[in-house]
């Protein structure tokens, strides 16, 4: 089987204080059949985000002339990853809240042929330090998603996700402000198999999120309604496209350099 190209993309807006550490901590060599590249989608940053990302080892950088919104940045990340030949893409925030060392854990269900779209779940892992209003907001919008999908989701707002090549090709985000709810609704309605993986939440220590409750009410709710009402077609899935045979998986550890996959060299 050919090597699997994984592109890890980071939407970033004024994240000079954190993006370098995030890029440097991304696991590059965890399986002999996987190659990892890093893509930064610079959403019109006014600070030194781009220069810091280059110094930290980003392989590709795409910059918007002005800030277009997180939904637009994620849409570009999906498109650029697909066009640059990604077999699988991983999205992770540039603010350091999500554990980059757990990227192999996020990929494991895809390599096992169990899922096409993976969400890292803070509520299945740890949410220590998350502010109460953010926790309640997550509960509320995740419940809305669960009701619309008629299946339980634990963390519908996660900023750490993985996509097969088919998911990259067919994913649609219908507004620029955000992506979380509409992207999941879109992919699940098209037949993509979703799975959540527990992750360890890390409280943001630098910068400030631009996502607000008011913004959710004015932008996200109408977008959810638009996504639910528009017709979509089921996708004929290739469930074995990324499967690595004879593979076993061990829980990654932030302090353990010898993570995560042990596999047969002949697979």
């Amino acid at each position: 089987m050919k090597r699997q190209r994984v592109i890890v993309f980071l939407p970033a807006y004024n994240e000079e204080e954190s993006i370098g550490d995030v890029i440097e901590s991304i696991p590059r060599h965890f399986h002999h059949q996987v190659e990892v590249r890093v893509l930064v989608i610079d959403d019109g940053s006014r600070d030194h985000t781009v220069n810091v990302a280059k110094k930290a080892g980003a392989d590709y950088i795409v910059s918007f002339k002005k800030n277009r919104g997180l939904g637009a940045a994620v849409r570009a990340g999906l498109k650029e990853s697909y066009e640059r030949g990604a077999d699988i893409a991983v999205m992770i925030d540039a603010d350091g809240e999500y554990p980059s060392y757990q990227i192999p854990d996020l990929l494991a269900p895809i390599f096992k042929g169990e899922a096409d779209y993976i969400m890292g779940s803070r509520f299945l892992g740890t949410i220590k330090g998350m502010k109460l209003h953010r926790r309640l907001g997550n509960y509320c919008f995740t419940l809305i998603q669960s009701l619309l999908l008629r299946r339980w989701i634990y963390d519908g707002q996660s900023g750490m996700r993985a996509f097969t090549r088919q998911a990259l090709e067919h994913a649609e985000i219908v507004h620029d402000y955000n992506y979380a709810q509409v992207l999941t609704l879109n992919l699940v309605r098209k037949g993509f198999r979703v799975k959540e993986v527990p992750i360890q939440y890390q409280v943001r220590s630098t910068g400030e999120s631009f996502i607000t409750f008011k913004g959710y009410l004015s932008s996200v709710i109408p977008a959810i309604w638009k996504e639910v009402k528009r017709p979509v077609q089921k996708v004929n899935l290739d469930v074995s496209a990324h499967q690595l045979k004879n593979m076993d998986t061990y829980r990654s550890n932030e302090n353990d350099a010898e993570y995560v996959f042990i596999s047969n060299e002949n697979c």
Side-chain angles (χ1 to χ4, degrees):
M1 182 179 179
K2 73 179 183 68
R3 288 170 64 85
Q4 296 281 303
R5 166 168 281 201
V6 173
I7 293 183
V8 180
F9 71 89
L10 296 78
Y13 178 58
N14 294 338
E15 297 287 5
E16 64 178 7
E17 296 182 36
S18 59
I19 194 170
D21 290 338
V22 175
I23 291 173
E24 289 174 356
S25 67
I26 291 172
R28 297 274 194 152
H29 309 286
F30 56 84
H31 194 287
H32 70 282
Q33 286 187 303
V34 176
E35 62 178 48
V36 178
R37 298 290 183 268
V38 175
L39 162 67
V40 172
I41 305 296
D42 167 42
D43 190 14
S45 296
R46 299 187 301 271
D47 63 0
H48 298 290
T49 292
V50 170
N51 291 333
V52 173
K54 287 179 180 178
K55 291 180 181 179
D59 298 284
Y60 319 109
I61 297 178
V62 174
S63 291
F64 297 163
K65 291 183 179 180
K66 62 180 181 179
N67 181 255
R68 291 168 52 186
L70 183 56
V74 174
R75 187 189 303 119
L78 297 170
K79 179 176 180 289
E80 292 287 339
S81 295
Y82 183 83
E83 293 182 349
R84 293 172 191 271
D87 296 293
I88 301 169
V90 175
M91 181 190 76
I92 188 168
D93 282 357
D95 58 17
E97 283 194 5
Y98 293 88
S100 56
Y101 67 90
Q102 283 195 262
I103 286 175
D105 295 329
L106 208 68
L107 295 172
I110 293 177
F111 289 147
K112 289 183 174 182
E114 297 173 349
D116 317 288
Y117 172 47
I118 314 297
M119 296 191 292
S121 174
R122 297 162 292 182
F123 294 94
L124 287 177
T126 62
I127 55 171
K128 184 178 180 181
M130 182 182 290
K131 294 180 180 179
L132 180 60
H133 72 278
R134 288 194 61 188
R135 189 178 302 190
L136 293 175
N138 276 314
Y139 286 147
C140 176
F141 284 99
T142 297
L143 177 60
I144 292 173
Q145 275 185 285
S146 298
L147 293 173
L148 291 172
L149 292 172
R150 298 180 181 178
R151 60 171 296 165
W152 191 252
I153 291 176
Y154 290 90
D155 191 357
Q157 279 63 248
S158 174
M160 187 174 182
R161 308 182 183 212
F163 311 81
T164 63
R165 184 164 179 81
Q166 278 189 304
L168 288 174
E169 180 182 7
H170 293 280
E172 296 177 282
I173 300 172
V174 296
H175 68 139
D176 289 347
Y177 181 78
N178 197 262
Y179 65 92
Q181 294 77 22
V182 295
L183 179 55
T184 298
L185 288 168
N186 180 262
L187 287 174
V188 173
R189 291 174 67 221
K190 290 177 178 177
F192 287 96
R193 300 167 299 161
V194 62
K195 185 170 183 176
E196 291 183 270
V197 171
I199 59 171
Q200 307 301 305
Y201 173 74
Q202 304 169 98
V203 179
R204 183 187 183 106
S205 58
T206 62
E208 184 177 350
S209 175
F210 73 91
I211 299 296
T212 65
F213 185 73
K214 181 179 179 181
Y216 260 81
L217 291 179
S218 62
S219 299
V220 177
I221 294 296
I224 290 174
W225 180 249
K226 179 180 178 181
E227 173 60 42
V228 170
K229 297 298 290 182
R230 70 193 191 101
V232 298
Q233 290 187 338
K234 294 285 187 180
V235 175
N236 186 20
L237 301 178
D238 182 355
V239 299
S240 62
H242 310 289
Q243 194 166 354
L244 300 181
K245 298 178 181 178
N246 302 322
M247 185 196 74
D248 198 4
T249 309
Y250 293 86
R251 175 66 55 194
S252 62
N253 187 319
E254 184 177 13
N255 300 313
D256 184 0
E258 299 299 326
Y259 54 76
V260 66
F261 295 125
I262 294 178
S263 62
N264 187 323
E265 291 291 333
N266 297 319
C267 64

